[in-house]
Amino acid sequence: MRPTWTGKLVWTFPQPFSCSYAFRDRASTREKDERGGRWIGEDRRVIFGRSKTVAEALQETLESRGQRVGVLIDALMRVDSSGDASEIKAAFETITETPALVATLDVYCRSQRALADVDLRLTGRGAGPLTTAIAASHGNGRVREVAVTKMLASPRAEMLPFLLVRMTDWASPVRDAARMGVVRLLHDKPSTYLRPAAETMLHLRRRRRGGFGVQQLYAAAHDAPVAVLEQLMCSATSAVPRFAFEVRTRRGDLKLDEMVRLAVTNSDKGLRARAGEAAAREAVWTGRVDVLRKLAACRHGEVRISALTGLARLGHWNEIAGLLDDRSSLIRALARDAARRTGVDAVDWYRSAVSAASPSLGTIAGLAESGRQEDGQLLHPLLSHPAARVRAQAVGALRILNAVPVDSVRPMVEDPSRRVVRAVLKALGTPAQV
């Protein structure tokens, strides 16, 4: 069976065996297969008769760092042409899961001629939801306006990210139509539209004209039911739970126990810091010393510093002064201030503690932060300590004190620990390449 030449760099095979391989000529070239009515794009590859799925096209797009977006566009158009509702919904979920991908599609489609036929399909009967969403990024403003109008006529949650992008459009007719429609959807059905709106709009807030969407997002969230905001707290996009926490804190419907739980157990450092600060502030106002002690005992430094600051405001200086050797430099600084208030000389304490058999890393760092150059002699025995992290910390402390014994430190370049070697090279002023 021999292939026939179609005249546009696309090999086609007679029935029943069908296989095509598209060679890139120019991004705007597209032709319609006369046999099946399928649209064949120059940017995709079809191997052994099997077109790439949306997932495969997305993987190729990601691996190319956005250079092969055309492959994904073609895959989406094929799914839309199939009319399969489940496949169309799955395709929407795939591309809207990452807000940055929606923005990338918008930038690509706006600058390419690959969508030259989309406006014809949009005005005809062959435009499905995916084609309409893609047409919303067309380079022609009139086409974008028609696409926005069609999406708002039959609104769907999965199409909302494309409407949000158009809220930042440079053409006022397109921008105003998208804004009016999205505001109505957010306030009428927050349980349906608030979460996808938050995930995309918080990503677009740095765009020019993106502030309006964020303001509407806060307004809608402020009036939303608690159950809707709890759904936002479960989002995988870190900015969304932070946004929901901020809204709930302003509304005052977060209990102290909930804030403590978020501060102690949440995986997002930024949210832990916000929750810890809010919980410590509430504990200070209500005199809940037990809550402050619980937060101060957790393993997250950003939470502990808020709790210890709360204990300081309540006058519990003795508890804070016992943390002179803490692993956090900020907490050590607070502990030194507490020690001064309670009559303890922090520098003398460090000098004594660093002479112990196995001083902690916080003790060594504390001496470097508050000691003097002559205190470097106390660290010389630690240069031969059996623990590599102690040797490295001692070298770093000597560098901070400007008391590096070059003759003793230079041989440590041959230390078996890379951590120690990096510290030695830095102390000797040599670029570390380990």
Side-chain angles (χ1 to χ4, degrees):
M1 185 175 301
R2 301 184 62 180
T4 59
W5 175 250
T6 65
K8 287 192 178 181
L9 299 179
V10 179
W11 289 103
T12 60
F13 291 76
Q15 297 287 355
F17 177 78
S18 175
C19 176
S20 62
Y21 192 92
F23 295 87
R24 174 171 292 185
D25 183 8
R26 59 182 182 272
S28 61
T29 304
R30 298 175 63 87
E31 69 167 355
K32 195 169 185 179
D33 187 353
E34 296 178 356
R35 291 172 287 112
R38 297 183 299 106
W39 289 88
I40 302 176
E42 295 288 342
D43 281 340
R44 71 180 173 88
R45 297 290 187 270
V46 186
I47 303 175
F48 301 117
R50 182 180 68 84
S51 300
K52 288 189 175 182
T53 64
V54 173
E56 292 171 340
L58 175 60
Q59 182 65 27
E60 182 173 341
T61 300
L62 296 177
E63 290 176 353
S64 68
R65 302 196 177 196
Q67 299 299 317
R68 300 281 295 157
V69 182
V71 177
L72 179 59
I73 295 293
D74 285 340
L76 294 173
M77 299 288 279
R78 288 197 302 273
V79 171
D80 195 59
S81 299
S82 70
D84 190 321
S86 60
E87 288 189 10
I88 292 175
K89 183 177 180 180
F92 267 119
E93 292 176 352
T94 300
I95 59 178
T96 58
E97 183 179 5
T98 306
L101 179 59
V102 177
T104 301
L105 289 174
D106 175 62
V107 173
Y108 175 84
C109 294
R110 194 190 325 146
S111 60
Q112 296 293 321
R113 296 176 57 194
L115 302 183
D117 62 306
V118 170
D119 55 340
L120 299 177
R121 300 180 64 181
L122 186 65
T123 55
R125 296 183 179 180
L130 280 170
T131 300
T132 304
I134 294 172
S137 297
H138 197 278
N140 189 323
R142 293 183 176 86
V143 176
R144 295 198 305 275
E145 186 176 5
V146 172
V148 168
T149 303
K150 291 192 68 172
M151 285 192 288
L152 290 174
S154 301
R156 301 167 57 164
E158 55 266 26
M159 300 175 73
L160 186 63
F162 298 92
L163 287 170
L164 296 173
V165 173
R166 296 280 61 83
M167 290 177 67
T168 65
D169 200 282
W170 61 96
S172 57
V174 180
R175 184 173 65 248
D176 295 342
R179 286 180 174 182
M180 287 188 293
V182 169
V183 169
R184 185 178 67 252
L185 293 175
L186 288 178
H187 287 273
D188 291 348
K189 296 181 179 180
S191 59
T192 303
Y193 295 105
L194 189 57
R195 180 167 180 171
E199 292 176 347
T200 304
M201 200 66 240
L202 292 174
H203 176 77
L204 299 173
R205 59 185 166 186
R206 294 184 181 89
R207 275 193 173 191
R208 187 179 180 184
R209 295 177 290 269
F212 177 85
V214 176
Q215 292 174 0
Q216 296 304 314
L217 195 64
Y218 274 100
H222 190 272
D223 298 330
V226 175
V228 175
L229 296 180
E230 289 178 348
Q231 291 179 359
L232 297 184
M233 296 292 294
C234 301
S235 175
T237 306
S238 60
V240 177
R242 297 178 188 179
F243 161 77
F245 178 82
E246 181 183 353
V247 172
R248 296 193 66 185
T249 303
R250 290 181 180 181
R251 290 179 11 165
D253 58 4
L254 261 181
K255 297 181 180 179
L256 180 58
D257 293 341
E258 293 180 83
M259 291 188 284
V260 171
R261 178 181 58 80
L262 288 172
V264 174
T265 63
N266 198 273
S267 59
D268 178 25
K269 181 178 180 180
L271 182 56
R272 288 199 307 266
R274 289 168 171 81
E277 182 179 358
R281 183 170 57 247
E282 181 70 19
V284 169
W285 288 345
T286 57
R288 294 287 303 276
V289 179
D290 58 322
V291 171
L292 293 173
R293 287 171 177 162
K294 180 179 180 179
L295 293 173
C298 79
R299 60 189 180 91
H300 304 299
E302 65 277 1
V303 177
R304 297 173 63 228
I305 188 61
S306 296
L308 292 172
T309 302
L311 288 173
R313 289 180 177 177
L314 296 179
H316 294 266
W317 297 108
N318 289 325
E319 297 182 39
I320 304 172
L323 300 173
L324 287 171
D325 61 343
D326 195 87
R327 61 183 180 274
S328 168
S329 59
L330 193 57
I331 293 178
R332 289 196 299 269
L334 184 61
R336 286 194 290 271
D337 180 62
R340 178 183 60 80
R341 293 173 183 268
T342 56
V344 176
D345 191 330
V347 178
D348 286 345
W349 187 92
Y350 283 129
R351 289 167 179 161
S352 176
V354 82
S355 302
S358 296
S360 66
L361 300 183
T363 300
I364 301 173
L367 180 62
E369 292 163 352
S370 59
R372 293 178 290 188
Q373 186 175 12
E374 51 268 27
D375 293 326
Q377 297 180 357
L378 299 174
L379 299 173
H380 290 180
L382 300 180
L383 297 177
S384 58
H385 196 277
R389 59 179 185 173
V390 174
R391 297 197 301 274
Q393 189 77 8
V395 173
L398 288 168
R399 177 181 59 83
I400 294 173
L401 292 171
N402 196 23
V404 178
V406 178
D407 294 339
S408 300
V409 171
R410 184 177 288 117
M412 296 178 68
V413 174
E414 304 296 331
D415 195 279
S417 171
R418 291 186 177 184
R419 183 176 184 176
V420 174
V421 174
R422 281 193 293 266
V424 169
L425 293 177
K426 188 174 183 179
L428 295 176
T430 305
Q433 299 179 352
V434 182

